[in-house]
Amino acid sequence: MGLSFLGVIAALAMYAVSVSPSLMARSWAWHAVASGILVACGYVAGVVVQNVAQLVIRLTGLTISASEPVELGFRIGIGALFALWWIYAVIQSYRRARKAAALVNMPGETFGEYLLGTAGAVVVSWMLLHIVGALNRLCWMLIASLDAHMPRPAAIVVSMVILFAIMFFLTSKVILRGGIGFFRRKAEQLNMRTARGIYQPVVPERSASPASSVTWESVGGQGRVFLGRGPSRLDIAQVCGGVAMEPIRVYSGMPTGGSGIEQAAATVVAELHRTGAFDRAVILIAASTGSGWVDEWQVQPLEFLTRGNCATASLQYSYVPSALNWLTGLEPAQEASAALFAAVRAELDLMDEADRPALFVCGESLGAFASQSVFESFEDVLARVDGALWVGTPSFTPMHAALTAARHKGSPEVAPVVHNARRVRFVNEPSDLRTDLYGRELGPWGFPRVVYAQHPSDPVVWWTNKLIWTQPDWLRERAGRDVSLNVEFTRFATYIQVLADLPVAGTAPGGHGHTYHEELIPLWRGILGFDRLFDEAPVHPRLAALDGGWVDDAMLERIGIVVRANLELSDRQ
């Protein structure tokens, strides 16, 4: 069977759209995947349109006749115009994609990599079209076998229902669950390993130390990274000057032996008591991602800025990465965050208000979603914590979506101003703590303070199923500093493009994509009230007593240099 003329035209058109600029600079491999999917979809759509048109013409008896030279000239003319447009569109897309890559400090594809991605797209689309063809043949076989038992329309409907049921069973029961089960087993094996450069702590202020009842083996691979990293009291004193305390870090590994997540949370609270965490100025509940990972760039800045007068608590609830947790269900992440927060909050509520440490929460990506799911509303956040830092919050997070929808008129979706920025601030970069995206000074910022850190180029924040059909405000408003003005919205194609950006986002340099590093240090300074933006002092006595007057821009830069150097050193060992 020959190729469909309209199918080829639609496939080529979709390729030109697929290589247009997106949020991230893709590798040749993800170029192949995104373009291959869209080319296959374009071809199928073209075939459907051509078949429907032929059916309409046959049913209506419509005929269009022309002399052979006229028909040939028409075909050549249309083909030439399309070829010129296609060549121009592809060349422009390549150039614009490289300029868009420069906005996020990524190299973009070389010409050789581009050709390799194009070849890969042909292979991917060929495979997908063969799968579609096999399903089509199976459908007609079912129709033929049912024709003898029911009318033709009913046979078609029943055959399609059977085919969809088979596809659903294979994808959800066999492929999806089997694949996830395989990755879970592999992740469980990796969880037993200790990363290079990570060693068991010896100071009693950490879980899994000789003074702790939590064992080094039980906290898992990511727990060992969290407990084996971080600055010591001497490190903090050397960088910040003055007297420093040994920062506390407590952690509970994956529940085993029939114990539930509540038992893991109780273990964390017991460790907080053992280490004297409730006598510190600040307790931070850091929601981990799927595999139990806690971002050092969210924890270490707080440890330096408080001169170690803080404690960080976290726990593990899964072995697999966040992406697989998203496929299998978000409930475990929500349950873990709720259990840990409830356990710590209950202990604080037993203390006299004047003696309680300030309670902060933080999380990145799935951790940000899980951390926010603890609260019924934003007012509940203000009532139960003394500050929050949520980084790269996924688009499916209800509180984030509700606050964004409530933004002031004229306030862009990438950096909305909500409730006059009196309590919550959305920032693309640290300067957004002081002004909105258009340079207008923000008003007083009271306590508790909540910060959402999100890059305009972060697909984790912006990818949603609505992209299939609806142009989002963040793309229509074109307000993102690191997003090309040449990024265009095309129904379904933009959905696939941004979806293909997701696995690349974490490889972007700091300050772009889903990579948040030094910029979190001034954000913590603002949350603590050390920024001296306004005269209002922190309402929490422990925060007011910290006195962050020694923290200036030079100190923030120094802390950033030390944190990065420490992380790179442990990664090399």
Side-chain angles (χ1 to χ4, degrees):
M1 185 176 179
L3 292 174
S4 161
F5 174 75
L6 279 183
V8 172
I9 294 296
L12 290 172
M14 288 304 288
Y15 179 82
V17 171
S18 73
V19 294
S20 63
S22 188
L23 298 180
M24 289 280 97
R26 299 191 203 103
S27 64
W28 70 266
W30 287 109
H31 167 186
V33 171
S35 296
I37 292 173
L38 289 174
V39 165
C41 290
Y43 185 84
V44 171
V47 170
V48 170
V49 170
Q50 181 171 316
N51 290 341
V52 170
Q54 290 174 347
L55 178 62
V56 171
I57 291 172
R58 187 168 63 250
L59 293 177
T60 59
L62 178 67
T63 57
I64 300 175
S65 60
S67 63
E68 186 173 339
V70 171
E71 181 180 352
L72 180 62
F74 178 78
R75 288 177 179 271
I76 293 175
I78 293 296
L81 287 175
F82 177 81
L84 289 174
W85 169 84
W86 189 82
I87 292 171
Y88 171 79
V90 170
I91 292 175
Q92 280 291 86
S93 292
Y94 176 71
R95 290 175 174 173
R96 290 172 175 175
R98 286 189 63 84
K99 292 180 180 179
L103 290 176
V104 291
N105 291 329
M106 298 178 75
E109 290 180 286
T110 63
F111 184 68
E113 291 170 335
Y114 185 87
L115 293 179
L116 189 59
T118 302
V122 173
V123 174
V124 171
S125 61
W126 180 84
M127 293 173 59
L128 292 175
L129 289 174
H130 272 70
I131 293 173
V132 172
L135 292 173
N136 182 57
R137 289 190 294 272
L138 177 59
C139 184
W140 283 110
M141 288 174 58
L142 289 171
I143 292 172
S145 64
L146 293 173
D147 264 345
H149 305 285
M150 61 185 69
R152 185 61 176 263
I156 293 175
V157 172
V158 172
S159 297
M160 293 184 68
V161 170
I162 294 173
L163 186 62
F164 278 116
I166 293 173
M167 291 173 57
F168 177 80
F169 175 80
L170 287 176
T171 55
S172 64
K173 300 292 184 180
V174 179
I175 298 176
L176 185 60
R177 289 193 178 182
I180 290 175
F182 171 79
F183 283 112
R184 181 179 282 113
R185 290 189 294 272
K186 290 295 182 182
E188 188 171 351
Q189 294 172 4
L190 290 174
N191 188 63
M192 302 307 296
R193 299 180 182 177
T194 303
R196 290 188 305 172
I198 299 301
Y199 304 98
Q200 183 177 3
V202 296
V203 293
E205 288 84 1
R206 301 217 173 188
S207 294
S209 66
S212 172
S213 61
V214 174
T215 65
W216 182 241
E217 293 74 22
S218 70
V219 294
Q222 294 295 351
R224 288 191 282 273
V225 170
F226 172 67
L227 297 171
R229 273 179 166 172
S232 68
R233 176 179 61 83
L234 296 178
D235 294 330
I236 296 172
Q238 185 177 13
V239 173
C240 301
V243 178
M245 304 176 70
E246 188 71 38
I248 295 171
R249 291 190 178 193
V250 299
Y251 192 93
S252 179
M254 191 74 174
T256 57
S259 61
I261 201 67
E262 289 79 11
Q263 181 58 48
T267 299
V268 170
V269 170
E271 283 290 281
L272 289 173
H273 277 293
R274 181 190 64 79
T275 56
F278 291 102
D279 296 325
R280 297 294 176 99
V282 171
I283 290 180
L284 172 65
I285 299 178
S288 65
T289 59
S291 59
W293 175 75
V294 179
D295 183 13
E296 289 292 316
W297 284 103
Q298 292 186 57
V299 178
Q300 290 199 31
L302 183 66
E303 292 174 331
F304 277 99
L305 291 171
T306 60
R307 286 194 173 116
N309 194 359
C310 65
T312 304
S314 190
L315 54 75
Q316 183 182 16
Y317 57 86
S318 173
Y319 293 119
V320 298
S322 297
L324 291 183
N325 276 282
W326 177 73
L327 290 173
T328 57
L330 302 172
E331 293 79 9
Q334 293 174 293
E335 292 170 0
S337 285
L340 181 55
F341 182 84
V344 176
R345 183 72 257 183
E347 292 299 310
L348 292 176
D349 290 339
L350 295 175
M351 302 174 63
D352 291 337
E353 188 171 355
D355 297 330
R356 297 172 186 165
L359 179 62
F360 292 98
V361 293
C362 73
E364 178 176 334
S365 195
L366 182 60
F369 162 80
S371 180
Q372 292 172 61
S373 70
V374 170
F375 307 99
E376 296 179 359
S377 64
F378 185 69
E379 290 70 25
D380 190 34
V381 176
L382 301 179
R384 302 175 71 189
V385 299
D386 298 288
L389 174 61
W390 288 314
V391 179
T393 301
S395 59
F396 52 77
T397 307
M399 187 184 300
H400 177 272
L403 288 171
T404 302
R407 68 188 185 275
H408 294 178
K409 186 176 181 181
S411 171
E413 186 176 15
V414 294
V417 177
V418 184
H419 305 155
N420 292 315
R422 289 190 300 268
R423 291 291 186 273
V424 59
R425 303 207 166 174
F426 291 77
V427 300
N428 300 157
E429 58 184 40
S431 63
D432 296 336
L433 289 178
R434 299 173 179 269
T435 63
D436 70 5
L437 207 61
Y438 304 113
R440 295 171 294 199
E441 196 76 22
L442 296 174
W445 191 14
F447 295 89
R449 293 178 171 183
V450 176
V451 172
Y452 282 92
Q454 54 189 37
H455 297 146
S457 58
D458 187 353
V460 174
V461 181
W462 310 119
W463 183 80
T464 171
N465 288 331
K466 293 181 181 179
L467 279 175
I468 293 176
W469 194 255
T470 306
Q471 183 180 22
D473 288 344
W474 61 264
L475 189 52
R476 178 179 55 81
E477 293 162 346
R478 300 186 179 279
R481 298 183 180 101
D482 60 351
V483 176
S484 171
L485 296 177
N486 294 313
V487 176
E488 299 288 346
F489 175 73
T490 304
R491 287 185 175 88
F492 184 68
T494 301
Y495 172 83
I496 296 297
Q497 284 181 301
V498 179
L499 179 62
D501 287 335
L502 287 172
V504 185
T507 65
H512 303 286
H514 198 57
T515 307
Y516 301 82
H517 287 164
E518 281 91 345
E519 66 210 275
L520 300 185
I521 303 173
L523 301 188
W524 269 122
R525 177 178 65 167
I527 295 169
L528 289 167
F530 293 175
D531 50 9
R532 298 296 186 261
L533 281 177
F534 308 103
D535 292 335
E536 183 179 354
V539 293
H540 196 287
R542 293 282 183 94
L543 293 182
L546 283 175
D547 183 18
W550 56 277
V551 182
D552 55 17
D553 291 341
M555 178 56 68
L556 296 183
E557 184 176 355
R558 186 176 180 185
I559 292 173
I561 292 172
V562 172
V563 173
R564 178 171 291 277
N566 288 340
L567 294 179
E568 291 176 350
L569 177 62
S570 64
D571 288 339
R572 288 196 301 267
Q573 289 179 340

